[in-house]
């Protein structure tokens, strides 16, 4: 029996209810996700321990990992050792942080000391860095540990990996943070690191029924992560709840931003905040979106509106209509920026041997080679205009809503789905959050809450309110 | 006999005059530097060729390299092959650029395909990247070629290398672009790439009697160059003349800026421009500067003033006095920014084994570890204020003058000299140029011309005028 009162987005305290792994049918109101931070009180009072928590994750891995293939590498022995250490810290009353003892998945383009970091590329087959990425250093210092490296597309932009969508094995989990989203979505892990240069956090989270957070650009340090396009690369978190994501983000953000990044302080988990007004965005993705998903989206917005929230959109407000037009123009610009900036790391891989690199990467380098410098500059100025237009709306509304993907996960494993819904806020470099609150074709579908530049806390606050409103 | 009319900074067409390598005494009016671009007309008309030019460089290497040790690795065979190809292009009337056939030195923290890139670290001993850094790709595409890798301090911030000052073997060539400055200063090479995170282009150029250009921050792409501190790292050029430096810069700048960098167009070599007003800066370095060098500086400024240029300074203008105070405060801030940002690459090296890494690098990581995040933020805000103060003077004067180092090269090879004169314009991220026009203790001493943010061309234009005025 599923108790609805337990389903509030950030407060689910139950473990998964009986769920036959043979007939994994998605229902956003059924708690599959495996929160962590809400267990901390029980770790303190001895009713549970990080080691026991880890063992439950491992049971789930045993039953599901063979089917979904979310991991490239598991470090079960290391994880047990770290979980025992965390358990001892809780017992001694000196836990290191809110995520002490948290098992984490690390996208396989992020360096982990002594663990393989292969980037889904034969060039890095067997590569074990002697260093941790800065974010991993921060997580380990906070008592969290790496349970495994999660599948990525090749260098987060090329060939897709073997991961399957946990709710339909014939469908993609989305990319490029494929394994992170699948492992969190199916309840193996409470949180996993991912990256987004186009739509690589928000889209797989949408397809796999997980929460995801793409922070403000350069809020989190990316040292030790394979770079693609510097002005678009974001480190972010896929998690089982907004709170888990927040606490992981908080630990990494304490390192300070990337040079030039925003000096935002990430403090206590923000209380839910009821927005006054929200802006409904269709974006370029709307024309690719199936009717069921469109209806789901509009139904969710109607529910939110019933709470007394005013919703502005392109049909009723000329400012929004103008913004939608601008967003439609940015799709091509985003590709130009991506290809131009990513060409140098990608050429370095190509220099290792053309046969070692997938076709998509060759295409991207070819796009960059043909791209006149003026086209790149035009793309930058389109982006600057978009930023100004969005900033100009900051007095008008508290945030934006769109879908997180153009529908549920599409069939097939070679293509990771449309990037359209992720691109605009990646271009803006402003915070966006995927909430696993919709469903279509009995599969997960995310709602995307998008905030203003550097308003990461405020975006969490309204996301909490929205998730609660839609799931109650 | 030295013909003074040939000595104008950018127009020296003679090769070096008779210069006994046993008694290498520096005289800024004696042409030691080996220009390239001015030979291009002779390559076209067949009176000279890139191959002959290269052979003259190689003769110089044979006589001087054993004494100064500017190179870690020479690729003489590859250079001859590339010079022959360039020679053929000139003969066929289809040369690739103004630097077609130019032999270049590449600081050994910059990746070169197939050539060792060892960063003066045992961690990278024997490392031959399969890629070229972006700047090297651009240079090769323009017909230039890598004659050798030049000595750097360890990762451009640690242990110094074996290079000696060409004008006194008991003295440092400066760092971290030690080999690049020594090789250019002694007339082996027309140009070499270097980098500056504190003072690593301007200072060694000052000590070795070469020109150097630290462009606007992020004007030149740094892909494939070992990073230190992202918001301070600059790729730049040390060269035998302003023109050689300009043409090398132009080829690299055509790749486009680093993401977020200035969209400055680097076009034709700027004509000399007589400034109306210049600002004399003492900076933090003045108190370390010996009396002879101070006099040299003030004599040069008097010569410039005789040309009818008004010179403002801290003693006569309260705005400049205030700026000087601000600059004095930035020294500590620069170290904080440097250590905080560089800690991640440096930790990665430390993770390879503490015994493989020099003491200075351990010190820097220790500084970063102890540095409160607030101190880094305070340093950033000091830098922002400094930028505003300098920008506010853009209507007041055409540029700034200071020394390029606190005197001639100091004795000893383990310390690479004071960084004081380099730091302020590195912090600003604005262009600065070292001119080898002064002398003290019969050794080279550079004059530094500093421009406003993104005014790279204008800074060259006034530098040409100043160099000509002082050397005529």
């Amino acid at each position: 029996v599923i108790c609805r009162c337990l389903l509030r987005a950030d407060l689910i305290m139950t473990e998964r209810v009986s769920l036959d792994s043979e007939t994994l049918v998605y229902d956003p109101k059924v708690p599959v996700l495996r929160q962590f931070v809400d267990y901390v009180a029980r770790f303190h009072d001895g009713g549970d321990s990080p080691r026991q928590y880890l063992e439950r994750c491992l049971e789930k891995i045993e039953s599901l990992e063979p089917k979904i293939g979310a991991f490239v590498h598991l470090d079960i022995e290391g994880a047990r050792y770290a979980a025992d250490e965390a358990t001892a810290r809780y017992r001694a009353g000196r836990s290191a942080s809110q995520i002490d003892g948290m098992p984490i998945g690390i996208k396989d383009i992020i360096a982990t000391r002594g663990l393989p970091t292969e980037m889904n590329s034969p060039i890095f087959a067997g590569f074990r860095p002697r260093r941790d990425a800065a974010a991993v250093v921060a997580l380990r210092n906070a008592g969290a540990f790496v349970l495994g490296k999660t599948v990525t597309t090749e260098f987060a932009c090329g060939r897709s990996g073997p991961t399957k969508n946990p709710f339909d094995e014939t469908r993609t989990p989305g990319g490029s943070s494929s394994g992170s989203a699948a492992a969190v979505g199916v309840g193996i892990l409470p949180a996993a690191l991912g990256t987004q240069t186009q739509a690589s956090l928000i889209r797989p989270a949408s397809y796999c029924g997980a929460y995801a957070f793409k922070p403000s650009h350069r809020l989190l340090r990316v040292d030790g992560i394979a770079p693609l396009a510097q002005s678009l690369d974001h480190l972010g978190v896929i998690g089982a709840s907004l709170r888990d994501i927040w606490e992981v983000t908080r630990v990494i953000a304490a390192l300070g931003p990337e040079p030039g990044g925003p000096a935002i302080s990430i403090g206590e988990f923000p209380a839910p905040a009821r927005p006054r007004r929200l802006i409904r965005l269709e974006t370029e993705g709307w024309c690719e979106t199936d009717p069921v998903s469109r209806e789901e989206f509009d139904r969710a917005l109607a529910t939110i509106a019933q709470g007394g929230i005013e919703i502005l959109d392109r049909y009723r407000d000329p400012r929004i209509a103008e913004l939608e037009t601008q967003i439609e123009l940015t799709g091509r610009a985003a590709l130009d920026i991506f290809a131009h900036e990513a060409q140098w790391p990608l050429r370095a891989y190509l220099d290792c041997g053309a046969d070692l690199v997938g076709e998509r990467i060759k295409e991207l380098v070819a796009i960059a080679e043909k791209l006149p410098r003026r086209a790149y500059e035009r793309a930058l100025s389109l982006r600057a205009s978009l930023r100004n237009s969005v900033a100009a709306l900051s007095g008008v509304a508290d945030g934006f809503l769109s879908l997180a993907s153009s529908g549920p996960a599409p069939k097939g494993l070679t293509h990771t789905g449309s990037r359209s819904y992720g691109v605009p806020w990646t271009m803006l470099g402003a915070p966006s959050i995927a909430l696993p609150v919709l469903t279509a074709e009995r599969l997960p579908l995310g709602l995307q809450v998008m905030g203003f530049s550097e308003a990461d806390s405020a975006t969490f606050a309204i996301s909490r309110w929205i998730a609660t409103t839609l799931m109650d």
Side-chain angles (χ1 to χ4, degrees), chain A:
Chain A
V1 178
I2 300 152
C3 176
R4 292 215 160 207
C5 66
L6 291 176
L7 298 178
R8 294 183 46 171
D10 303 314
L11 295 169
I12 304 174
M13 292 294 292
T14 58
E15 286 287 288
R16 64 178 269 260
V17 292
S18 70
L19 187 69
D20 181 355
S21 66
E22 294 307 307
T23 58
L24 208 55
V25 171
Y26 182 74
D27 177 344
K29 309 229 166 172
V30 176
V32 178
L33 298 172
R34 181 178 300 275
Q35 284 85 352
F36 180 90
V37 178
D38 294 320
Y39 285 81
V40 167
R42 285 157 70 177
F43 298 157
H44 279 296
D45 72 19
D48 198 356
S49 75
R51 176 60 189 265
Q52 289 169 281
Y53 182 96
L54 172 64
E55 294 301 327
R56 297 194 294 273
C57 297
L58 294 176
E59 277 168 34
K60 197 85 177 197
I61 285 179
E62 204 167 344
S63 66
L64 291 174
E65 174 60 11
K67 294 174 65 178
I68 63 167
F71 293 91
V72 198
H73 182 83
L74 284 162
D75 180 22
I76 294 174
E77 198 186 336
R80 283 184 167 141
Y81 184 85
D84 285 342
E85 287 194 317
T87 299
R89 284 192 294 273
Y90 281 103
R91 288 202 183 132
R94 45 175 185 79
S95 63
S97 75
Q98 284 295 306
I99 60 168
D100 196 357
M102 184 190 263
I104 296 192
I106 307 287
K107 184 176 182 177
D108 205 31
I109 62 161
I110 301 173
T112 44
R113 186 169 192 164
L115 294 178
T117 301
E118 298 179 313
M119 316 198 204
N120 195 7
S121 162
I123 297 168
F124 287 87
F127 174 56
R128 288 173 189 257
R130 278 177 281 197
R131 68 180 291 192
D132 278 327
V136 177
V137 170
L139 293 173
R140 292 203 210 259
N141 287 344
F145 55 85
V146 182
L147 176 52
K149 300 302 292 284
T150 56
V151 170
T152 173
T153 62
E154 181 191 17
F155 301 118
C157 68
R159 271 184 303 246
S160 53
T163 310
K164 291 164 184 153
N165 191 294
F167 302 102
D168 180 344
E169 291 164 36
T170 67
R171 295 174 191 256
T172 178
S176 60
S177 309
S178 321
S180 288
V184 172
V186 81
I188 289 174
L189 281 171
L193 298 190
T195 58
Q196 175 161 318
T197 304
Q198 296 181 299
S200 287
L201 288 157
I202 297 299
R203 171 182 51 174
S206 179
Y207 292 168
C208 295
Y211 293 82
F213 173 41
K214 182 201 80 58
S216 282
H217 189 235
R218 299 175 83 82
L219 176 66
L220 302 184
R221 292 207 68 115
V222 297
D223 307 75
I225 304 178
L228 273 176
Q230 229 179 92
S231 80
L232 297 169
D233 288 346
H234 294 76
L235 171 62
V237 187
I238 296 176
S241 74
L242 289 172
R243 176 113 194 253
D244 287 294
I245 289 179
W246 181 265
E247 298 298 344
V248 168
T249 302
R250 187 180 180 181
V251 158
I252 303 171
L255 296 176
E258 280 288 293
I264 306 170
S265 146
I266 300 293
E268 294 294 320
F269 185 43
R274 185 178 170 282
R276 290 165 307 115
R277 268 199 207 149
L278 294 169
I279 293 169
R280 172 189 181 277
L281 289 179
E282 294 185 348
T283 80
E284 207 185 355
W286 195 248
C287 62
E288 301 168 346
T289 304
D290 62 276
V292 174
S293 301
R294 289 182 176 200
E295 269 172 45
E296 267 290 299
F297 177 63
D298 283 327
R299 193 176 308 127
L301 267 62
T303 306
I304 291 167
Q306 279 163 20
I309 316 302
E310 189 181 356
I311 296 190
L312 308 180
D313 66 26
R314 68 190 309 166
Y315 305 106
R316 284 172 286 186
D317 192 314
R319 292 169 301 187
I320 315 304
E322 206 178 306
L323 179 64
E324 291 272 22
T325 307
Q326 254 189 303
I327 287 173
E328 279 154 31
L329 289 171
T330 57
R332 175 73 214 182
L335 182 62
D336 287 349
I337 293 173
F338 178 47
H340 177 79
E341 296 183 4
Q343 68 177 303
W344 296 108
L346 297 182
R347 280 169 190 246
Y349 305 136
L350 267 174
D351 283 346
C352 295
D355 53 323
L356 298 173
V357 168
E359 286 312 311
R360 176 62 182 160
I361 287 174
K362 289 173 195 163
E363 272 168 39
L364 285 165
V365 172
I367 290 170
E369 277 170 352
K370 276 181 222 128
L371 192 75
R373 189 173 151 192
R374 207 172 307 164
Y376 174 65
E377 283 163 9
R378 211 161 34 225
L380 293 180
S381 86
L382 272 173
R383 177 164 73 181
S385 308
L386 182 65
R387 285 179 181 169
N388 290 337
S389 303
V390 168
L393 293 167
S394 68
V396 174
D398 301 300
F400 302 79
L401 295 172
S402 76
L403 284 168
S405 60
S406 60
K411 288 264 185 194
L413 294 176
T414 55
H415 186 60
T416 53
S418 164
R419 302 177 190 93
S420 301
Y421 280 102
V423 165
W425 252 250
T426 305
M427 284 283 272
L428 284 167
S432 81
I433 291 175
L435 302 175
V437 292
L438 310 179
T439 182
E441 299 179 49
R442 305 173 81 195
L443 289 166
L445 177 65
L447 178 71
Q448 187 174 198
V449 183
M450 296 158 288
F452 292 97
S453 185
E454 306 192 8
D456 296 62
S457 293
T459 309
F460 261 82
I462 62 170
S463 294
R464 284 191 75 182
W465 187 90
I466 291 165
T468 304
T469 301
L470 292 176
M471 295 185 88
D472 258 351

